[in-house]
């Protein structure tokens, strides 16, 4: 619905061999974590391995397998989540960042035992910054 606002501009961060970017919900209503069906993170044409992807929201970090059954955590349209993956980047260069999201919309039933799912993509160019130690 709002794919050009998925990636938050200037949020590309590197921490060792991991890259992360802040993402926004491309939907107008909050969704439980179980509705975040998947994501891809591609930087400069290289896609992070699926098993390296992590999703952080509400101060907690999850694998996508952990999100699948999680109905306690919610992603709100006003909150950014952080998508990270195993990608080593040059800190000083500009990078083309691409994010793909697959979301289920549980309250829009489109068939017997099937709800609407949306697949959205966004791409932005930005310079990476080094993660700040907490």
């Amino acid at each position: 619905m709002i794919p050009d606002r998925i990636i938050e501009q200037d949020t590309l961060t590197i921490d060792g061999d991991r890259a992360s970017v802040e993402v926004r919900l491309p939907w107008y209503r909050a969704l439980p974590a179980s509705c975040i069906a998947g994501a891809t993170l591609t930087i400069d044409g290289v896609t992070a391995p699926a098993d390296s992807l992590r999703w952080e929201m509400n101060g907690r970090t999850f694998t996508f397998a952990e999100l699948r059954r999680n109905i306690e955590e919610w992603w709100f349209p006003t909150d950014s989540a952080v998508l990270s993956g195993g990608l080593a980047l040059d800190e000083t260069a500009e990078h083309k960042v691409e994010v793909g999201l697959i979301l289920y919309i549980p309250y829009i039933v489109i068939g017997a035992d099937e709800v609407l799912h949306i697949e959205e993509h966004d791409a932005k160019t930005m310079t990476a910054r080094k993660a700040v130690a907490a």
Side-chain angles (χ1 to χ4, degrees), residues 42-55:
T42 303
I43 301 177
D44 299 330
V46 178
T47 301
D51 63 347
S52 77
L53 293 175
R54 297 294 178 269
W55 186 266

Side-chain angles (χ1 to χ4, degrees), residues 33-100:
S34 62
C35 291
I36 305 165
T40 57
L41 175 61
T42 303
I43 301 177
D44 299 330
V46 178
T47 301
D51 63 347
S52 77
L53 293 175
R54 297 294 178 269
W55 186 266
E56 181 184 332
M57 69 179 177
N58 304 325
R60 297 182 59 204
T61 302
F62 304 92
T63 64
F64 282 90
E66 292 169 327
L67 290 175
R68 190 173 297 127
R69 288 186 164 68
N70 187 326
I71 56 172
E72 303 299 318
E73 300 289 335
W74 284 74
W75 189 17
F76 295 92
T78 56
D79 296 339
S80 293
V82 177
L83 175 63
S84 67
L87 291 167
L89 300 178
D90 178 3
E91 181 182 353
T92 60
E94 275 205 337
H95 301 280
K96 181 178 181 187
V97 179
E98 300 172 73
V99 170

